[in-house]
Amino acid sequence: MQVLTCGDSGVLVEVADLDEVLALNAALTADPLPGVSDVVPAARTVLLRLAEDGDPAAVAAAVRRLRPRTVRAGTAEEVGIDVQYGGADLADIAAHTGLSQREVVAAHTGTAWTVAFCGFAPGFGYLVGGDPRLDVPRRAEARTRVPAGAVALAGRFTGVYPRSSPGGWQLLGHTDAVIWDLERDPPGLLRPGLRLRFREA
Amino acid sequence: MAATTGTAGLEVLRTGPLTTVQDSGRAGHASLGIGRSGAADAASYALANRLVANPPGAAALETTLGGLALRAHGPATIAVTGAPAPVTVDRRAAAPDTVLHLRDGAELRLGTPPRGLRTYVAVRGGFDVAPVLGSRSTDTLAGLGPDLPAVGDVLPVGPPPPGFPVIDHAPVPPVPGDEVELRVVPGPRDDWFHPEALDVLLSHPFEVTARSDRVGARLAGPPLRRAEHEELPSEGMVPGSLQVPPGGEPVLFLADHPVTGGYPVIAVVITADLARAAQARPGARLRFSVAVNHRSTRGR
């Protein structure tokens, strides 16, 4: 674990991999540290945003004393999302992975995914833990408009666009599931730690 | 001094280049990908509320390069702070950083500030627009929060708070002009840069470009060269971060910055200087220095 300074308002904790991010995030969620207002897990880091009275040195010392929690598969809540596969990039994904389009769908639906972190846009979750064969690069050029509900792949991640926005991920299909709803508490369906299984509609 | 009662609202006659409703922001939702947003110059925003005896966190208007005009529906008590836009009430000059009383039907107009960027208008009782996730701030990046005030809107004003204004005028340091000094703490990714990059940042002025907004001030200056050329996995960002895209010219993140970013941050402007950073207008030159007495937490 490496603890880095973000000015006087944040402490960035870098760990070895995403599993350690999830474990550290689980520990911070179970026992919030005093002086911390927000916890932002990401791919290899957890940012602790400080409350107004938060002291970076004290928070850094406290985080070093934390014992990360092992996140066991099967203990977390699991939700299902129905997807109509047939996205604009499905053929490209198949070509890139060497799988047939049917095999891409089978791989995407075959394992449960876990929301590692959120970012990019409100409610956009980065899901990990899928079939390792589905590792595809981002598109060379981002689309100016990806529709809400688009299910997409990039790197080891899959994600669902919560609303229409620009985006460079490879489009796999579409879901009617409401990913982002301000009338709901919390408004985002996807939050760190949630397990999710895609089903072919 | 009379209490402000029966105020129905303030009608928008003109918005200027950009007017948003802002409060102290939306803390606690970052793990869902939702940033804090809130007033870009938190100090001027807080002063405006304090002048009209609002509790901290009441919603005010943030206007960019002036141009705002409002008409009172019912009497209103207001304060104008931040970038010194010339203020008139019914065409008579009025003072900034003071308590102003508008009678029913009175018109408040802001000219263009000769320096600084963002001017705040607080009303006693606060702007009572519908909150979103506990905040009345518009996050221009996330598209979250109240709609932008438009000409013809009557912005509702909440009930007056129990306290009364106790001072008529607040002495405040002037909003910076074309040279803005900002203190930074190096890191968290200064080690991703060429050894001289931090010296370049600290020894040259960087100009605020026209491509600047509430998300960030995009700066022009000598490029800050990277040493590490691998891709940085996206990581959480704080306001004040100087994020450096591949071109080498930094972006200074302000109130509506993204929750996570994928380019390394060479240094972060300290909280005490963020209000000045938010007032740096296009064309202003920023000079960075290392904050003394900052405590580094670097270590394993």
Side-chain angles (χ1 to χ4, degrees), chain A residues 64-110:
Chain A
R64 285 198 186 93
R65 287 194 300 268
L66 267 184
R67 304 230 344 249
R69 298 198 162 197
T70 312
V71 184
R72 278 193 303 272
T75 56
E77 179 189 356
E78 186 175 306
V79 300
I81 284 191
D82 294 327
V83 179
Q84 291 106 40
Y85 289 94
D89 299 321
L90 183 57
D92 283 354
I93 294 166
H96 194 274
T97 57
L99 302 172
S100 71
Q101 297 192 18
R102 291 304 315 159
E103 286 169 332
V104 168
V105 173
H108 197 249
T109 54

Coordinates of all heavy atoms in Angstrom, one line a residue, chain A residues 64-110:
Chain A
R64 N -3.3 3.5 7.1 CA -2.3 2.5 7.1 C -2.6 1.4 8.2 O -2.1 0.3 8.1 CB -0.9 3.1 7.5 CG -0.3 3.9 6.3 CD 1.2 4.1 6.5 NE 1.7 5.0 5.5 CZ 1.8 6.3 5.5 NH1 1.4 6.9 6.6 NH2 2.3 7.0 4.5
R65 N -3.4 1.8 9.2 CA -3.7 0.8 10.3 C -4.9 -0.1 9.9 O -5.1 -1.1 10.6 CB -4.0 1.6 11.6 CG -2.8 2.2 12.2 CD -3.2 2.6 13.7 NE -4.2 3.6 13.7 CZ -4.0 4.9 13.7 NH1 -2.8 5.4 13.7 NH2 -5.0 5.8 13.8
L66 N -5.6 0.3 8.8 CA -6.8 -0.5 8.4 C -6.4 -1.9 8.0 O -5.4 -2.1 7.4 CB -7.5 0.2 7.3 CG -8.6 1.2 7.5 CD1 -9.1 1.6 6.2 CD2 -9.7 0.6 8.4
R67 N -7.3 -2.8 8.4 CA -7.1 -4.2 7.9 C -8.2 -4.4 6.8 O -9.3 -4.5 7.0 CB -7.4 -5.2 9.0 CG -6.5 -4.9 10.2 CD -5.7 -6.1 10.7 NE -6.1 -7.4 10.3 CZ -6.7 -8.3 11.2 NH1 -7.0 -8.0 12.4 NH2 -7.0 -9.5 10.7
P68 N -7.7 -4.5 5.5 CA -8.6 -4.7 4.4 C -9.5 -6.0 4.6 O -9.0 -6.9 5.2 CB -7.7 -4.9 3.2 CG -6.4 -4.2 3.6 CD -6.3 -4.5 5.1
R69 N -10.7 -5.9 4.1 CA -11.6 -7.0 4.3 C -11.7 -7.9 3.0 O -11.7 -7.3 2.0 CB -13.0 -6.5 4.6 CG -13.1 -5.7 5.8 CD -14.6 -5.6 6.2 NE -14.6 -5.2 7.6 CZ -15.6 -5.3 8.4 NH1 -16.7 -5.8 8.0 NH2 -15.5 -4.9 9.7
T70 N -11.6 -9.2 3.2 CA -11.8 -10.0 2.1 C -13.2 -10.0 1.6 O -14.1 -10.2 2.4 CB -11.4 -11.5 2.4 OG1 -10.2 -11.4 3.2 CG2 -11.2 -12.3 1.2
V71 N -13.4 -9.7 0.3 CA -14.7 -9.7 -0.3 C -15.0 -11.1 -0.9 O -14.3 -11.5 -1.8 CB -14.8 -8.6 -1.4 CG1 -16.3 -8.5 -1.9 CG2 -14.4 -7.3 -0.8
R72 N -15.9 -11.8 -0.2 CA -16.1 -13.2 -0.7 C -17.3 -13.2 -1.7 O -18.3 -12.6 -1.5 CB -16.5 -14.1 0.5 CG -15.3 -14.6 1.3 CD -15.7 -15.7 2.2 NE -16.8 -15.2 3.2 CZ -16.5 -14.7 4.3 NH1 -15.3 -14.4 4.7 NH2 -17.5 -14.3 5.1
A73 N -17.0 -13.9 -2.8 CA -18.1 -14.0 -3.8 C -19.3 -14.7 -3.1 O -19.1 -15.6 -2.3 CB -17.6 -14.8 -4.9
G74 N -20.4 -14.3 -3.5 CA -21.6 -15.0 -3.0 C -22.2 -14.3 -1.8 O -23.4 -14.6 -1.5
T75 N -21.5 -13.5 -1.1 CA -22.0 -12.8 0.0 C -22.8 -11.5 -0.4 O -23.6 -11.0 0.4 CB -20.9 -12.4 1.0 OG1 -20.0 -11.7 0.4 CG2 -20.3 -13.7 1.6
A76 N -22.4 -11.0 -1.5 CA -23.0 -9.7 -1.9 C -24.3 -9.9 -2.6 O -24.6 -11.0 -3.1 CB -22.0 -9.0 -2.9
E77 N -25.1 -8.9 -2.7 CA -26.4 -8.8 -3.4 C -26.1 -9.1 -4.9 O -25.1 -8.6 -5.4 CB -27.0 -7.4 -3.1 CG -28.3 -7.2 -3.8 CD -28.6 -5.7 -3.6 OE1 -27.9 -4.9 -3.0 OE2 -29.7 -5.3 -4.2
E78 N -27.0 -9.8 -5.5 CA -26.8 -10.0 -7.0 C -28.0 -9.7 -7.7 O -29.1 -10.1 -7.3 CB -26.4 -11.5 -7.3 CG -26.1 -11.7 -8.7 CD -25.6 -13.2 -9.0 OE1 -24.6 -13.6 -8.3 OE2 -26.2 -13.8 -9.8
V79 N -27.9 -8.9 -8.8 CA -29.1 -8.5 -9.6 C -28.9 -9.0 -11.0 O -27.7 -9.2 -11.4 CB -29.3 -7.0 -9.6 CG1 -29.6 -6.4 -8.2 CG2 -28.2 -6.2 -10.2
G80 N -30.0 -9.2 -11.7 CA -30.0 -9.6 -13.1 C -30.4 -8.5 -14.0 O -31.3 -7.7 -13.6
I81 N -29.7 -8.4 -15.1 CA -30.1 -7.4 -16.1 C -30.3 -8.1 -17.5 O -29.4 -8.9 -17.9 CB -29.0 -6.3 -16.2 CG1 -29.1 -5.4 -15.0 CG2 -29.1 -5.5 -17.5 CD1 -28.3 -4.1 -15.1
D82 N -31.5 -7.8 -18.1 CA -31.8 -8.4 -19.4 C -31.2 -7.6 -20.5 O -31.4 -6.4 -20.5 CB -33.3 -8.6 -19.6 CG -33.8 -9.6 -18.6 OD1 -33.1 -10.6 -18.3 OD2 -35.0 -9.4 -18.1
V83 N -30.5 -8.2 -21.4 CA -29.8 -7.5 -22.5 C -30.2 -8.0 -23.8 O -30.3 -9.3 -24.0 CB -28.3 -7.6 -22.4 CG1 -27.6 -6.9 -23.5 CG2 -27.8 -7.1 -21.0
Q84 N -30.6 -7.1 -24.8 CA -30.7 -7.5 -26.2 C -29.3 -7.4 -26.8 O -28.9 -6.3 -27.0 CB -31.7 -6.7 -26.9 CG -33.2 -6.8 -26.4 CD -33.7 -5.6 -25.6 OE1 -33.3 -4.5 -25.9 NE2 -34.4 -5.9 -24.6
Y85 N -28.7 -8.5 -27.1 CA -27.4 -8.5 -27.7 C -27.6 -8.2 -29.2 O -28.6 -8.5 -29.8 CB -26.6 -9.8 -27.4 CG -26.2 -9.9 -26.0 CD1 -27.0 -10.5 -25.0 CD2 -25.0 -9.3 -25.5 CE1 -26.6 -10.6 -23.7 CE2 -24.7 -9.3 -24.2 CZ -25.4 -10.0 -23.3 OH -25.1 -10.0 -22.0
G86 N -26.6 -7.6 -29.8 CA -26.7 -7.2 -31.2 C -26.3 -5.7 -31.3 O -26.8 -5.0 -32.2
G87 N -25.4 -5.3 -30.5 CA -24.9 -3.9 -30.5 C -24.1 -3.7 -31.7 O -23.6 -4.6 -32.4
A88 N -23.8 -2.4 -32.0 CA -23.1 -1.9 -33.2 C -21.7 -2.5 -33.4 O -21.2 -2.7 -34.5 CB -23.1 -0.4 -33.3
D89 N -21.1 -2.8 -32.2 CA -19.7 -3.3 -32.3 C -19.6 -4.8 -32.0 O -18.5 -5.3 -31.8 CB -18.9 -2.6 -31.2 CG -18.8 -1.1 -31.5 OD1 -18.7 -0.7 -32.7 OD2 -18.9 -0.3 -30.5
L90 N -20.7 -5.5 -32.0 CA -20.7 -7.0 -31.7 C -19.8 -7.7 -32.6 O -19.0 -8.6 -32.2 CB -22.1 -7.6 -31.6 CG -22.2 -9.0 -31.2 CD1 -21.6 -9.3 -29.9 CD2 -23.7 -9.5 -31.2
A91 N -19.9 -7.4 -33.9 CA -19.0 -8.1 -34.9 C -17.6 -7.8 -34.7 O -16.7 -8.7 -34.7 CB -19.5 -7.7 -36.3
D92 N -17.3 -6.6 -34.4 CA -15.9 -6.2 -34.1 C -15.3 -6.9 -32.9 O -14.2 -7.3 -32.8 CB -15.8 -4.7 -33.9 CG -15.8 -3.9 -35.2 OD1 -15.8 -4.6 -36.3 OD2 -15.9 -2.7 -35.2
I93 N -16.2 -7.0 -31.9 CA -15.8 -7.6 -30.6 C -15.5 -9.1 -30.9 O -14.4 -9.6 -30.5 CB -16.9 -7.5 -29.5 CG1 -17.0 -6.0 -29.1 CG2 -16.5 -8.4 -28.3 CD1 -18.3 -5.8 -28.3
A94 N -16.3 -9.7 -31.7 CA -16.1 -11.1 -32.0 C -14.8 -11.3 -32.8 O -14.0 -12.1 -32.5 CB -17.3 -11.6 -32.9
A95 N -14.6 -10.4 -33.8 CA -13.3 -10.5 -34.6 C -12.1 -10.3 -33.7 O -11.1 -11.0 -33.8 CB -13.4 -9.4 -35.7
H96 N -12.2 -9.4 -32.7 CA -11.0 -9.1 -31.9 C -10.7 -10.2 -30.9 O -9.6 -10.5 -30.7 CB -11.3 -7.8 -31.1 CG -10.0 -7.2 -30.5 ND1 -9.6 -7.6 -29.3 CD2 -9.1 -6.4 -31.0 CE1 -8.4 -7.0 -29.0 NE2 -8.1 -6.2 -30.1
T97 N -11.8 -10.8 -30.4 CA -11.6 -11.9 -29.4 C -11.3 -13.3 -30.1 O -10.9 -14.2 -29.4 CB -12.8 -12.0 -28.5 OG1 -13.9 -12.2 -29.3 CG2 -12.9 -10.7 -27.7
G98 N -11.7 -13.4 -31.3 CA -11.6 -14.7 -32.0 C -12.7 -15.6 -31.7 O -12.7 -16.8 -32.0
L99 N -13.8 -15.1 -31.1 CA -15.0 -15.8 -30.7 C -16.0 -15.6 -31.8 O -16.0 -14.6 -32.5 CB -15.5 -15.4 -29.4 CG -14.5 -15.5 -28.2 CD1 -15.2 -14.9 -26.9 CD2 -14.2 -17.0 -27.9
S100 N -17.0 -16.5 -31.8 CA -18.2 -16.1 -32.7 C -19.0 -15.2 -31.9 O -18.9 -15.0 -30.7 CB -19.0 -17.4 -33.0 OG -19.6 -17.9 -31.8
Q101 N -20.0 -14.5 -32.6 CA -20.9 -13.6 -31.9 C -21.7 -14.3 -30.8 O -21.9 -13.8 -29.7 CB -21.8 -12.9 -32.9 CG -21.0 -12.0 -33.9 CD -22.0 -11.1 -34.7 OE1 -23.1 -10.9 -34.3 NE2 -21.4 -10.6 -35.8
R102 N -22.1 -15.6 -31.0 CA -22.8 -16.3 -30.0 C -21.9 -16.6 -28.8 O -22.3 -16.6 -27.7 CB -23.3 -17.7 -30.6 CG -24.4 -17.6 -31.6 CD -25.6 -16.9 -31.1 NE -26.0 -17.3 -29.8 CZ -26.8 -16.5 -28.9 NH1 -27.2 -15.3 -29.3 NH2 -27.1 -16.9 -27.8
E103 N -20.6 -16.9 -29.1 CA -19.7 -17.2 -28.0 C -19.4 -15.9 -27.2 O -19.2 -16.0 -25.9 CB -18.4 -17.7 -28.5 CG -18.5 -19.2 -29.0 CD -17.3 -19.7 -29.8 OE1 -16.6 -18.8 -30.4 OE2 -17.1 -20.9 -29.8
V104 N -19.4 -14.7 -27.8 CA -19.3 -13.5 -27.1 C -20.4 -13.3 -26.1 O -20.3 -13.0 -24.9 CB -19.2 -12.3 -28.0 CG1 -19.3 -11.0 -27.3 CG2 -17.9 -12.3 -28.8
V105 N -21.7 -13.6 -26.6 CA -22.9 -13.4 -25.7 C -22.8 -14.4 -24.6 O -23.0 -14.1 -23.4 CB -24.1 -13.6 -26.6 CG1 -25.4 -13.7 -25.7 CG2 -24.3 -12.5 -27.6
A106 N -22.4 -15.7 -24.9 CA -22.3 -16.7 -23.9 C -21.3 -16.3 -22.8 O -21.5 -16.5 -21.6 CB -21.9 -18.1 -24.5
A107 N -20.1 -15.7 -23.3 CA -19.1 -15.3 -22.3 C -19.6 -14.2 -21.4 O -19.3 -14.2 -20.2 CB -17.8 -14.9 -23.1
H108 N -20.3 -13.2 -22.0 CA -20.8 -12.1 -21.3 C -21.8 -12.5 -20.2 O -21.9 -11.9 -19.1 CB -21.3 -11.0 -22.2 CG -21.5 -9.6 -21.6 ND1 -22.7 -9.1 -21.3 CD2 -20.5 -8.8 -21.2 CE1 -22.5 -7.9 -20.8 NE2 -21.2 -7.7 -20.7
T109 N -22.6 -13.5 -20.6 CA -23.7 -13.9 -19.6 C -23.2 -15.0 -18.7 O -24.0 -15.4 -17.8 CB -25.0 -14.4 -20.4 OG1 -24.5 -15.4 -21.4 CG2 -25.6 -13.2 -21.2
G110 N -22.1 -15.6 -19.0 CA -21.7 -16.8 -18.3 C -21.2 -16.6 -16.9 O -21.2 -17.6 -16.1

